[in-house]
Amino acid sequence: MTTTASQPTTEVELAIGGMTCASCAARIEKKLNRMDGVTATVNYATEKAKVSYGGEVSVQDLITTVEATGYTAQEPAPPVREAPESRDEDDGLRPLRQRLVTAVTLAVPVIAMAMIPALQFEYWQWLSLTLAAPVVTYAAWPFHRAAFTNLRHGAATMDTLISVGTSAAFLWSLWALFLGTAGEPGMTHPFELTISRSDGAGNIYLEAAAGVTAFILAGRYFEARSKRKAGAALKALLELGAKDVTVLRANGTEQTVSVAELKVGDRFLVRPGEKIATDGTVVEGSSAVDASMLTGESMPVEVAQGDPVTGATINAGGRLVVEATRVGADTQLARMAKLVEDAQNGKAAAQRLADRISAVFVPIVIALALGTLGFWLGNGAGMAAAFTAAVAVLIIACPCALGLATPTALMVGTGRGAQLGILIKGPEVLESTRKVDTIVLDKTGTVTTGRMTLLAVHTTDNADEAEVLRLAGALEHASEHPVARAVADGAVEKLGSLPTPEDFANVPGLGVQGIVEGHAVLVGRERLLEEWAMELPEPLRRAKSEAEASGRTAIAVAWDGEARAVLEVADAVKETSPEAIRRLRALGLTPILLTGDNRAVAEAVAREVGIAPEDVIAEVLPQDKADVVKRLQGEGRSVAMVGDGVNDAAALARADLGLAMGTGTDAAIEAGDLTLVRGDLRAAADAIRLSRRTLGTIRSNLFWAFAYNVAALPLAAAGLLNPMIAGAAMAFSSVFVVGNSLRLRSFRAAD
């Protein structure tokens, strides 16, 4: 039930503890939404609940409801810019890792003794019990606790099956050792594949109990490691801003303080190369500001007195004095961090395949075990025989291979992906790759190189390219402007060394001028030449117009009183991008180009890589990129997003599948589901192909992991299952799962 229009609503985010699977999140969500005036979304991946509430409901009521459901809840602490140095990031994983180490260390000899007859010395069964007991009690405790919680709420998950299966195997082994014949000296497991009825008094299943616990703990540990990165995008965003700032006091002195101490109205100094501390307005000076990391615009922004600037962007030119207009949570950077957080919380909870199958499989197995017990008791077979058959049903259903199904496929798939420059964050990512039909591509740094590059040189008849580059490059080499660096780098690449200017001056907003090898050289906008009474001849004017029509920046070069050349500078398209677009289309995806640049630039890039003009979305503000993704999703599309900048982080988190370029910012990488280490857009197509193949392998693993056990269930129910058949079924299903997963090693990137 939601609040009415007359009731004001409040939003709160709760940190949820104790969830072990997606069904836990669904249960909490259902309980919260039953409260009057409450709308809640619970995300298992981030372990958070986003709740809107009103009326008489309080935050404490919400927490109480969650706790009554069997979990913990609290309001999360506000994010901090820097985590204390003494804090161990791995603290939350330590208990799980300790349980895993204990389980593996003790389970290996138990499994070896059960499977290798030569190791079954006179009292081997008692050593197996000694080693298996800590595994089934201490190491498997999280499964037992979760199963009890689920039982209280009438639910069954993977935890229930693990707990019931391992407990049944262990308790039956205790009965056979202490009250049956399994504890007698010299007892060995019969290793014949024969079908016969027995009372089970001489059979122990300690290797099944210990092995399953160790396998599944390993899967949980690696899953937990990837889940801990869910909040890293927010941390990366918060750390992107400046830490300290030089504030100008009323008495004219300069004082360095923490950015947290800045107040609206404070004036602060930004030197060349420094980050702008917070959002504000320029009150003194002029410069070029590199905002590409935050806005995605490849061209630096020229600012002067009265122009707004954004925190975390970089002053690439002269000295600026800025008056703070927004600080703290009101800044654009902080609002983008909030967008990322909202997008993460808004994602549909990824349902783990094993849990979905277990939700049906567990009740069926338990019902079958009870039915088996009742059938044999009703037919006068006796308590021992009836109970043996019932427990055999539980043991053979115990998912030994299921513990390997997802982690082995994921391990092989991610390992092969890493070799190809693709990092997959977790199993829940893979389902998204199967469904996506639209892929949104950020332009700057994804389709293009993300840096200004000298692309063409147009000269008059009385100048050659080498001379133009030598004189213009020498002068631009002394400038810090990104466009100037592109010209200088292009000149160095073609000529090698450059002369040193004898005189140099920066003309704010227009370009540079100076003396090189005795020539008076001007490099910059056409207006700079006009101030010196020089005009571009018609061929250069035409070249300038064509360059600007293509979204490129045109730079005029003159010396000794005459215009000599026009240079074209732009963010160049990566050589591999057109091929990448073809591969994405071959996978059934529709590519869409998304950028903050103007439409002329965007359409020029789209033409070069093969994207239709109607699939270009240009002039999009950074905070609106996530809204574009949301709008496409609202049209019924399943959207993948490829990006590399801070401005892409919220959109990457909002998308059904986020692919972050590893050459980009930490915020983008942490917000993405897949990371493309190579920085090559072709890796996006390979990533989707590999993810789909890995998902298919996991699905087939899950099917066969159950199929081998299910096939033996009728034998178990008939009381005809001996330890060798049970062990063979489990072992063969595990070997099949591992072998099936290893086939992923043959995956190849497309030629």
Side-chain angles (χ1 to χ4, degrees), residues 96 99-108 111 132 135-136 139-140 143 162 166 206-222 399-400 403-404 407:
L96 183 55
R99 293 181 194 276
L100 173 60
V101 171
T102 300
V104 171
T105 303
L106 300 180
V108 168
I111 296 171
V135 178
V136 179
F143 305 131
I162 296 165
T166 55
L206 294 172
E207 76 284 359
V212 167
T213 301
F215 282 138
I216 297 180
L217 273 175
R220 291 287 172 88
Y221 174 72
F222 291 114
C400 185
L404 292 169

Side-chain angles (χ1 to χ4, degrees), residues 1 6 186 286 289 310 346 354 385 388 397 406 413 434 482 530 578 590 617 626 744:
M1 176 177 171
S6 61
S286 62
V289 174
T310 306
T388 297
T406 296
R434 179 177 55 87
E530 292 172 351
T590 301
I617 304 175
L744 288 168

Side-chain angles (χ1 to χ4, degrees), residues 299-381:
M299 271 295 294
V301 180
E302 301 287 347
V303 297
Q305 187 173 345
D307 290 334
V309 290
T310 306
T313 55
I314 299 172
N315 178 15
R319 176 183 184 274
L320 295 176
V321 176
V322 179
E323 182 175 307
T325 56
R326 289 194 293 260
V327 297
D330 295 327
T331 64
Q332 183 172 337
L333 182 65
R335 291 202 301 272
M336 289 179 69
K338 182 70 172 126
L339 280 173
V340 173
E341 190 171 22
D342 289 345
Q344 286 181 333
N345 287 336
K347 277 189 175 181
Q351 294 288 331
R352 289 176 55 211
L353 297 177
D355 277 313
R356 293 213 298 271
I357 297 173
S358 296
V360 177
F361 189 71
V362 174
I364 291 175
V365 169
I366 292 175
L368 183 58
L370 293 175
T372 299
L373 178 65
F375 174 80
W376 286 113
L377 287 176
N379 280 273

Side-chain angles (χ1 to χ4, degrees), residues 3 13 19 49 57 78 119 135 275 312 332 403 431 449 483 496 508 516 528 572 610 646 652 663 689 742 746:
T3 55
E13 189 177 73
M19 294 191 294
V57 178
L119 298 180
V135 178
K275 290 180 180 179
Q332 183 172 337
E431 280 194 280
T449 61
V483 172
V516 182
L528 177 63
V646 173
L652 287 166
T663 52
R689 285 178 50 240
L742 289 174
S746 64

Side-chain angles (χ1 to χ4, degrees), residues 34-86:
R34 283 180 176 174
M35 300 174 69
D36 288 341
V38 172
T39 303
T41 302
V42 181
N43 191 314
Y44 167 60
T46 60
E47 297 183 327
K48 290 180 180 178
K50 186 177 180 182
V51 188
S52 297
Y53 63 97
E56 302 297 321
V57 178
S58 66
V59 174
Q60 187 55 49
D61 294 333
L62 300 173
I63 292 174
T64 301
T65 299
V66 174
E67 290 176 344
T69 313
Y71 306 90
T72 63
Q74 61 182 10
E75 290 187 77
V80 293
R81 187 176 295 276
E82 291 183 277
E85 294 295 329
S86 60

Side-chain angles (χ1 to χ4, degrees), residues 456-532:
V457 179
H458 305 276
T459 65
T460 58
D461 293 336
N462 60 348
D464 62 54
E465 181 175 326
E467 187 178 17
V468 169
L469 289 178
R470 188 174 70 256
L471 298 179
L475 202 58
E476 294 282 48
H477 200 272
S479 173
E480 296 177 338
H481 197 287
V483 172
R485 287 201 299 270
V487 173
D489 291 345
V492 169
E493 184 179 339
K494 291 191 176 183
L495 303 178
S497 61
L498 297 174
T500 302
E502 293 123 54
D503 185 33
F504 171 84
N506 180 51
V507 184
L510 295 180
V512 294
Q513 61 189 38
I515 306 296
V516 182
E517 296 183 336
H519 300 286
V521 183
L522 302 175
V523 183
R525 298 178 185 270
E526 184 179 4
R527 194 150 56 89
L528 177 63
L529 275 63
E530 292 172 351
E531 289 189 358
W532 287 82

